């Protein structure tokens, strides 16, 4: 295994900004990672584990060791009449894993089709889309403590999954390398087509009886038509989370802004569509040099080519401030900032 110095990261993250890692190594096996752990470079530097680089923003060069996780493998661990337990290594591409499940007609991840990145990052922020989240299908997460080297298995409840949240994103940030995730998928799939434009798309596709494959195809179609492709324009998906506010705050805002988009949550609070809030502040489609707010989806900040991470971060601060001034709501960044 090679440790490279002063290594360009541009092609390793989807914002595509021009940044460098002090050191860079790719690990293809747990054994290789264990070798890396013995080196001075590992011991004397801050570490960053990298999957597909689709949920982070580098505001400057990373002055430490970036470890690109290339652990591969998908295997069935156990099954019964109703469920199948599938272990996927952290470096597997997420969408390819979803397609593997779809092709076997295992239900549970079809609504999460076409999300960029790797399996290992999926529990980090409890990835979610179209009413589905990893927390609904994650059986356990296998990880290595980066200090002691001990292996640890986190059961679903220990992951403390929340809305785009988990124990790995904050409490255990940079404490564990996730090596694999075991998913519990349904052999008798239950479909969730009520979210967003899925039903409409299924109709347009001429689908009468939904199936795992049809839903995956519908999600792929919708996402491809709406979201910016990072291969063409730098971005990391939604830059901000949808904020949750109390019923009281929601009602006050709704009176002032009747068109506001919001959804009632089970806990009595309301989730506001952050994209709508940002749009109302006039940011949708706005460009500041090569940093901008996407023309179709105001939640997505983009790099038109030569923007720096610092410029994109500054733009995110402008958005935060404007939304706070207009609505009294503090947005939270979803993207990991380095
Ligand atoms: P990275 O960006 O490489 O890493 C993200 C964080 O996880 C970093 O802090 C990193 O250090 C850490 N990490 C990565 N791998 C490991 C590991 N093995 N062990 C420990 N820590 C690790 N997200 C959604 O939830 N829903 C969506 O619908 C969605 N759509 C998107 C659409 C687009 C166009 C884009 C660009 C992004 C979208 N995202 C979405 C965000 C992103 O794709 C997901 O969060 C994804 O899970 C990130 O995976 P990654 O491998 O790229 O993670
Ligand atoms: P959309 O369908 O236009 O919906 C806009 C917002 O309204 C979304 O943020 C979504 O919240 C919310 N919403 C829509 N229908 C809902 C319902 N029935 N119940 C509760 N909330 C509802 O959004 P989009 O931009 O095209 O994205 C589609 C899906 O992909 C969303 O689930 C979104 O989260 C996900 N996505 C995530 C990222 C990311 O980087 N995190 C990037 C792109 C897309 P939620 O976001 O809470 O679902």
């Amino acid at each position: 295994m090679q440790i490279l110095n002063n290594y360009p990261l541009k092609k390793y993250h989807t914002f595509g900004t021009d940044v460098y890692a002090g050191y860079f190594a790719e690990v293809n096996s747990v054994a290789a990672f264990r070798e890396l752990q013995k080196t001075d470079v590992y011991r004397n530097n801050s570490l960053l584990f990298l999957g597909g680089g689709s949920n982070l923003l580098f505001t400057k060069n990373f002055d430490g060791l970036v470890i690109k996780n290339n652990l591969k493998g998908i295997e069935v661990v156990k099954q019964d009449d109703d469920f199948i337990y599938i272990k996927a290594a952290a470096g597997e591409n997420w969408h390819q894993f979803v397609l593997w499940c779809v092709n076997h007609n295992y239900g549970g991840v079809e609504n999460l089709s076409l999300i960029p990145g790797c399996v290992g990052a999926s529990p980090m922020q409890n990835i979610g889309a179209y009413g589905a989240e990893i927390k609904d299908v994650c059986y356990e997460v296998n990880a290595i403590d980066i200090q002691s080297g001990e292996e640890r298995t986190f059961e679903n409840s220990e992951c403390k999954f929340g809305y785009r949240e988990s124990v790995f994103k904050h409490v255990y940030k940079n404490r564990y390398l996730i090596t694999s995730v075991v998913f519990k998928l349904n052999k008798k799939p239950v479909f969730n087509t009520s979210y967003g434009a899925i039903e409409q798309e299924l109709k347009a596709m001429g689908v009468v009886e939904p199936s795992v494959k049809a839903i995956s195809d519908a999600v792929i179609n919708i996402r491809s038509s709406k979201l910016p492709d990072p291969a063409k324009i730098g971005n990391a998906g939604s830059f901000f989370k949808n904020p949750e506010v109390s019923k009281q705050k929601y009602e006050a805002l709704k009176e002032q802004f009747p068109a506001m988009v919001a959804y009632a949550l089970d806990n009595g609070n309301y989730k506001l569509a952050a994209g709508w809030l940002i749009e109302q502040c006039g940011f949708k489609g706005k460009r500041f040099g090569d940093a901008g707010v996407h023309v179709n989806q105001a939640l997505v900040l983009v790099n038109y080519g030569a923007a720096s991470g610092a410029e994109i971060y500054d733009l995110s601060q402008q958005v935060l401030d404007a939304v706070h001034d207009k609505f009294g709501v503090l947005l939270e960044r979803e993207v990991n900032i380095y």
Side-chain angles (χ1 to χ4, degrees):
M1 183 217 349
Q2 263 186 308
I3 301 179
L4 301 153
N5 280 6
N6 197 26
Y7 194 75
L9 294 175
K10 195 176 167 74
K11 66 173 185 169
Y12 289 93
H13 68 114
T14 59
F15 259 122
T17 59
D18 209 0
V19 282
Y20 284 74
Y23 301 95
F24 181 88
E26 300 201 35
V27 292
N28 299 320
S29 65
V30 170
F33 176 66
R34 297 249 179 246
E35 281 306 307
L36 185 61
Q37 279 189 303
K38 291 178 195 157
T39 63
D40 287 342
V41 170
Y42 182 96
R43 280 197 284 256
N44 299 333
N45 282 281
S46 48
L47 307 174
L48 193 167
F49 297 112
L50 195 60
S54 65
N55 200 22
L56 44 80
L57 175 71
F58 290 104
T59 55
K60 51 185 183 306
N61 291 333
F62 186 78
D63 189 21
L65 170 63
V66 170
I67 302 170
K68 171 86 175 88
N69 186 326
N70 282 340
L71 306 181
K72 299 283 188 210
I74 298 176
E75 60 175 305
V76 173
V77 178
K78 60 177 178 175
Q79 55 185 310
D80 55 32
D81 286 349
D82 296 321
F83 296 104
I84 183 148
Y85 298 75
I86 301 162
K87 183 176 181 175
E92 286 289 339
N93 174 276
W94 173 259
H95 181 59
Q96 292 308 317
F97 168 67
V98 170
L99 292 183
W100 187 93
C101 300
V102 167
N103 289 335
H104 287 82
N105 200 33
Y106 301 140
V109 286
E110 58 279 6
N111 290 40
L112 303 172
S113 297
L114 214 60
I115 296 180
C118 295
V119 165
S122 64
M124 289 292 296
Q125 71 156 11
N126 177 26
I127 56 168
Y130 299 99
E133 290 173 302
I134 275 295
K135 74 169 173 52
D136 305 326
V137 289
C138 176
Y139 181 65
E140 61 189 25
V141 174
N142 297 308
I144 297 177
D145 186 321
I146 66 160
Q147 301 297 348
S148 69
E150 270 172 43
E151 293 187 10
R152 175 164 172 192
T153 295
F154 292 83
E155 288 174 13
N156 183 304
S157 61
E158 293 175 287
C159 297
K160 307 258 184 284
F161 289 125
Y163 179 65
R164 307 286 191 265
E165 278 298 339
S166 79
V167 76
F168 305 108
K169 197 163 179 180
H170 295 294
V171 184
Y172 288 149
K173 181 131 190 166
N174 296 332
R175 168 84 189 274
Y176 286 96
L177 166 68
I178 294 171
T179 51
S180 65
V181 182
V182 179
F183 297 92
K184 180 184 175 184
L185 299 184
N186 213 322
K187 287 167 132 183
K188 297 166 186 163
V190 183
F191 304 122
N192 175 2
T193 58
S194 62
Y195 210 88
I198 295 185
E199 266 168 15
Q200 211 180 314
E201 182 61 26
L202 287 172
K203 215 179 262 176
M205 288 161 57
V207 173
V208 186
E209 283 289 312
S211 64
V212 167
K213 171 91 169 75
I215 293 172
S216 172
D217 286 346
V219 169
I220 292 170
N221 289 349
I222 303 167
R223 291 184 70 104
S224 310
S225 70
K226 281 181 83 169
L227 290 165
D229 178 356
K232 295 184 183 139
I233 178 166
N235 75 92
S238 304
F239 202 90
F240 305 97
K241 291 182 190 177
N242 287 322
E244 184 176 327
V245 298
S246 67
K247 186 166 189 278
Q248 197 186 10
K249 174 77 180 171
Y250 160 76
E251 283 171 351
L253 283 172
K254 192 72 182 167
E255 202 176 320
Q256 212 183 340
F257 305 98
M260 185 177 71
V261 181
Y263 299 88
L265 299 172
D266 291 342
N267 63 8
N269 287 343
Y270 280 77
K271 176 179 77 177
L272 310 183
W276 187 88
L277 301 175
I278 297 167
E279 194 176 341
Q280 297 312 301
C281 294
F283 279 102
K284 194 172 179 181
K286 276 248 173 109
R287 185 170 172 166
F288 304 81
D290 265 1
V293 177
H294 193 245
V295 279
N296 297 330
Q297 172 51 284
L299 257 187
V300 179
L301 301 190
V302 294
N303 174 12
Y304 285 104
S308 69
E311 284 167 338
I312 295 165
Y313 185 84
D314 287 349
L315 173 56
S316 76
Q317 192 59 48
Q318 274 192 61
V319 169
L320 273 172
D321 292 342
V323 168
H324 188 252
D325 289 351
K326 191 173 173 88
F327 299 102
V329 172
L330 193 57
L331 293 182
E332 195 187 329
R333 293 179 182 88
E334 181 177 305
V335 168
N336 297 279
I337 309 293
Y338 289 97

